Amino acid sequence: MEQPDVLAEGLLDRDDRRAYSCLKQLEELSRRSAAAYPCFDRFAALLQSPSSYQRSRGIRLVAANARWDTAGRVEALLPALLAHIADEKPATARQCIQALPAVAEAKPALRPAILAALAAADPSGLPDSMRPLVQRDLRRAMREIASL
């Protein structure tokens, strides 16, 4: 496995397979240790990317590293993270919704704000093909968080 900073740089690779491989390696590393946490600011910066793929990678890695955050970075980033519940790209919104239970588990004090944002989500403007999937994700995430 490459070093976390090399993998974090790879998240921006034009080759989607390489970028996805870097994402998977960083997620695995984040499950086992805080080794990727020093790259947190780079993950957080991806939330503002014009690329929905990069936004999704940032969301997933912020969530994966919430458990290692003792500096309050996740708390400071929460409004930007929750904004992606209504991301312009439904696939990115789904990635966000699915990642929020991990954040809620790592940061119990954020559970009320996360639940409120999920409850307030309005998927009515989504395409008919995506609306039921997002609605299911919302219900599942709220159930998971409520059971923590």
Side-chain angles (χ1 to χ4, degrees), residues 79-102:
L81 182 61
L82 294 177
H84 291 289
I85 292 172
D87 195 275
E88 66 182 285
K89 296 291 188 176
T92 300
R94 292 190 71 207
Q95 294 281 327
C96 178
I97 294 163
Q98 293 168 6
L100 288 173

Side-chain angles (χ1 to χ4, degrees), residues 4-5 8 26 29-31 33-44 61-75 77 107:
D5 58 329
L26 284 164
L29 189 59
S30 299
R31 274 191 274 285
S33 75
Y37 181 73
C39 300
F40 187 90
D41 289 338
R42 293 167 85 176
F43 305 152
L61 289 166
V62 164
N65 282 278
R67 67 175 37 181
W68 309 115
D69 177 43
T70 58
R73 290 173 165 168
V74 173
E75 289 82 350
L77 190 63
K107 300 285 189 173

Side-chain angles (χ1 to χ4, degrees), residues 90-128:
T92 300
R94 292 190 71 207
Q95 294 281 327
C96 178
I97 294 163
Q98 293 168 6
L100 288 173
V103 175
E105 183 175 9
K107 300 285 189 173
L110 299 181
R111 289 179 193 164
I114 293 170
L115 281 170
L118 290 168
D122 180 14
S124 64
L126 294 174
D128 292 342

Side-chain angles (χ1 to χ4, degrees), residues 12 44-57 84 87-89 92:
L12 303 173
L46 292 175
L47 297 180
Q48 305 306 319
S49 173
S51 164
S52 64
Y53 295 112
Q54 290 179 11
R55 289 194 305 274
S56 292
R57 292 175 200 140
H84 291 289
D87 195 275
E88 66 182 285
K89 296 291 188 176
T92 300

